[in-house]
Amino acid sequence: MTIREMAEQREEAYFSPYAALSSKSRGRDVEEPPCDIRPVYQRDRDRILHSKSFRRLKHKTQVFLQPQGDHYRTRLTHTLEVAQTGRTIARALRMNEDLVEAIALGHDLGHTPFGHAGESALNEVCPLGFTHYEQSIRVVEILEKKGKGLNLTWEVRDGIRNHRMAGNPATLEGKIVRLSDKIAYINHDIDDAERAGILTEAEIPKEYRQILGSTTKERLNTLIHDIVIHSQGKDDIFMSSEMEHAMKGMRSFMFTAVYRNPLAKVEEEKAKHLLMELYHYYEGHLETLPEEYRMLINRGEPEERVVCDYIAGMTDQYAMKKFSELYIPGAWQL
């Protein structure tokens, strides 16, 4: 018996009856020989962790564009916080931690430079539309490994595609990540907004602080405990109606106070313009795309989509560098 098979047996003996067992996965689009050490979801997690798109997350904006400070979140630190919150919930509920972590690590691989401003820019300019969750699927199915993709299991891809608010993941592990994403970004965005001086704890509505807590630690502890308590022994992942109402209210407050705050978004229109100009340039000069993207067009991928693929994969700094090379005379570049 292999180490993997022993691990699968431990899952069957210990996991909740509602957990996704590695041995029962719907599999991969391209069948592969199983690993003798790692169950399938652990293998997927490793593939994502070692991918180039995952490494680029460290240089992609979360909320604040080019923040002046070392402690603001990036897409990478956000992703790690989602994974940690998800693993805590999964372990308490005896769910498949490997599946949770794989989904969490992959859920934002398709995010653009400059956060949601970049996503909005590409969605406006590309006639095919653009969403980061569908782009994350393109990254793992098509773009990674020079057009070969990562060949992840069906359950991991389903969780990545459905991590948004309107999503409906097929596994409870996917539902854990969906809630963990919201818990992570609401709380760390409050922390970053306070660090930036555009929000104080006292400005958060009292009704939400009384329910959720008055510090990041208290809010995380409250939300995680609520999910674990109300999901224990059930074929679903959810929180109490009181906690859900408070979290949704906090999210709405954050849109008003932070996400649409002129101080937080002072550079957003410039960033959108930059990406739109890059899109128009590459759309008209496909021959200047890197070879791996031209190969995608040659094999039948829509040109507009491939241009989005290239731009969405850029880090903030790389996008600015390419814009400077294309549109700013050399003598004027700093």
Side-chain angles (χ1 to χ4, degrees):
M1 182 179 292
T2 66
I3 294 173
R4 170 186 55 78
E5 289 170 330
M6 288 190 287
E8 290 171 348
Q9 284 190 353
R10 288 195 298 271
E11 289 183 3
E12 293 175 13
Y14 176 73
F15 279 178
S16 161
Y18 307 116
L21 298 176
S22 301
S23 60
K24 303 298 184 183
S25 170
R26 289 174 57 169
R28 310 178 188 279
D29 284 348
V30 179
E31 191 172 344
E32 301 177 12
C35 177
D36 60 340
I37 295 177
R38 297 168 298 167
V40 288
Y41 303 135
Q42 183 183 349
R43 201 176 185 187
D44 283 359
R45 184 217 43 200
D46 294 350
R47 290 181 182 186
I48 293 169
L49 189 66
H50 290 289
S51 68
K52 291 190 294 185
S53 51
F54 181 80
R55 293 197 294 276
R56 290 197 299 269
L57 293 177
K58 67 181 177 179
H59 295 303
K60 291 192 177 190
T61 292
Q62 176 64 24
V63 172
F64 295 90
L65 304 186
Q66 293 295 298
Q68 299 302 307
D70 294 331
H71 300 131
Y72 289 89
R73 271 68 171 196
T74 64
R75 280 288 157 200
L76 180 61
T77 54
H78 162 71
T79 293
L80 295 176
E81 290 184 35
V82 173
Q84 182 55 46
T85 296
R87 285 188 58 132
T88 299
I89 295 170
R91 183 171 297 185
L93 295 175
R94 293 187 295 124
M95 294 293 161
N96 196 318
E97 287 184 57
D98 288 337
L99 176 54
V100 166
E101 189 171 19
I103 295 170
L105 294 181
H107 83 282
D108 269 355
L109 293 179
H111 245 302
T112 62
F114 309 121
H116 285 286
E119 181 178 15
S120 175
L122 291 184
N123 188 48
E124 287 179 34
V125 77
C126 178
L128 302 177
F130 183 91
T131 59
H132 79 276
Y133 51 88
E134 290 292 350
Q135 188 65 19
S136 295
I137 292 297
R138 279 186 65 80
V139 168
V140 299
E141 290 185 342
I142 298 173
L143 302 180
E144 270 293 334
K145 297 181 71 175
K146 297 184 177 180
K148 296 178 182 178
L150 298 179
N151 197 30
L152 303 181
T153 56
W154 182 90
E155 292 80 8
V156 171
R157 288 179 287 136
D158 170 79
I160 292 172
R161 178 178 281 114
N162 287 288
H163 78 270
R164 65 197 188 281
M165 285 292 287
N168 185 27
T171 64
L172 298 196
E173 288 81 0
K175 292 183 178 184
I176 288 172
V177 174
R178 180 178 172 274
L179 284 177
S180 297
D181 183 33
K182 312 306 174 285
I183 291 171
Y185 76 64
I186 288 173
N187 282 288
H188 65 50
D189 290 351
I190 291 173
D191 187 40
D192 281 353
E194 291 177 354
R195 180 173 291 107
I198 66 172
L199 180 68
T200 65
E201 194 68 38
E203 291 175 305
I204 299 173
K206 186 177 180 181
E207 60 178 304
Y208 306 138
R209 283 187 283 127
Q210 287 179 330
I211 296 172
L212 300 174
S214 297
T215 66
T216 298
K217 179 180 178 180
E218 288 179 3
R219 285 187 287 268
L220 287 171
N221 191 56
T222 297
L223 288 164
I224 290 170
H225 273 77
D226 187 82
I227 292 171
V228 170
I229 290 168
H230 288 87
S231 304
Q232 195 82 46
K234 297 185 174 68
D235 188 16
D236 201 0
I237 304 296
F238 56 93
M239 57 181 63
S240 65
S241 57
E242 178 188 40
M243 210 61 63
E244 183 178 14
H245 174 76
M247 192 174 80
K248 287 182 177 178
M250 183 72 86
R251 184 172 180 269
S252 296
F253 166 75
M254 289 295 289
F255 268 94
T256 301
V258 178
Y259 303 140
R260 297 184 183 129
N261 186 304
L263 291 175
K265 296 302 185 182
V266 64
E267 303 294 322
E268 191 169 282
E269 287 304 314
K270 297 177 185 177
K272 289 180 65 174
H273 175 74
L274 184 155
L275 292 190
M276 287 178 171
E277 288 300 319
L278 287 180
Y279 178 89
H280 290 309
Y281 177 84
Y282 288 112
E283 185 184 35
H285 301 82
L286 296 173
E287 72 281 358
T288 64
L289 290 171
E291 181 182 2
E292 63 189 275
Y293 293 95
R294 298 198 306 273
M295 287 173 57
L296 291 174
I297 294 173
N298 291 338
R299 80 187 200 196
E301 293 288 334
E303 295 174 357
E304 301 94 336
R305 181 60 65 211
V306 174
V307 172
C308 282
D309 290 338
Y310 180 45
I311 296 173
M314 295 179 178
T315 62
D316 295 15
Q317 289 289 343
Y318 188 75
M320 289 188 286
K321 176 176 178 288
K322 298 308 292 185
F323 182 87
S324 178
E325 289 175 359
L326 294 172
Y327 292 109
I328 300 178
W332 296 356
Q333 295 179 21
L334 297 178

